[in-house]
């Protein structure tokens, strides 16, 4: 589970055992956790699932994802290349 980012108490990371899923990032803070899909072509983010989060928490995470969108995408691609080696 490589962690790629810590922002405002949120840990952003990937799981290494998720097969060939499209680009996404997991986020965790305390007892809250979520997963968001990233749509690189349309510069968009979609919630895949969330646990123990309210709408304010989700907005906060989405804002961070948008702010670091290119970084997350770059780290995802790097992570996928390393997994294949």
């Amino acid at each position: 589970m490589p962690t790629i980012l810590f922002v405002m108490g949120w840990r952003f990371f990937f799981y290494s055992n998720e097969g060939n899923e499209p680009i996404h990032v997991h986020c965790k803070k305390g007892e809250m956790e979520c997963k968001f899909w990233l749509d690189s072509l349309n510069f968009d983010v979609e919630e895949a699932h969330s646990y123990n989060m309210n709408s304010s928490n989700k907005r906060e995470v989405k804002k961070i994802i948008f702010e670091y969108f290119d970084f997350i995408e770059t780290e995802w691609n790097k992570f996928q290349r390393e997994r294949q080696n």
Side-chain angles (χ1 to χ4, degrees):
M1 291 186 340
T3 297
I4 59 164
L5 192 60
F6 276 105
V7 177
M8 298 174 62
W10 289 99
R11 179 172 69 97
F12 293 79
F13 60 97
F14 306 130
Y15 282 110
S16 58
N17 62 347
E18 292 189 306
N20 296 320
E21 290 190 39
I23 186 171
H24 63 277
V25 65
H26 295 264
C27 314
K28 185 169 176 61
K29 181 178 184 180
E31 297 297 317
M32 298 178 285
E33 189 166 355
C34 58
K35 175 179 176 179
F36 280 88
W37 302 103
L38 279 69
D39 180 352
S40 300
L41 295 176
N42 299 306
F43 189 65
D44 199 13
V45 175
E46 180 183 343
E47 180 185 331
H49 70 79
S50 63
Y51 173 75
N52 243 8
M53 293 178 67
N54 61 34
S55 57
S56 176
N57 303 136
K58 294 175 188 181
R59 279 192 306 274
E60 182 177 63
V61 167
K62 283 180 76 170
K63 182 179 179 184
I64 295 167
I65 292 172
F66 277 118
E67 186 175 339
Y68 290 91
F69 198 96
D70 291 337
F71 175 77
I72 294 169
E73 185 176 28
T74 298
E75 290 298 307
W76 171 268
N77 291 330
K78 186 169 86 175
F79 176 64
Q80 295 305 318
R81 280 192 308 273
E82 290 172 0
R83 277 186 49 208
Q84 293 173 357
N85 292 333

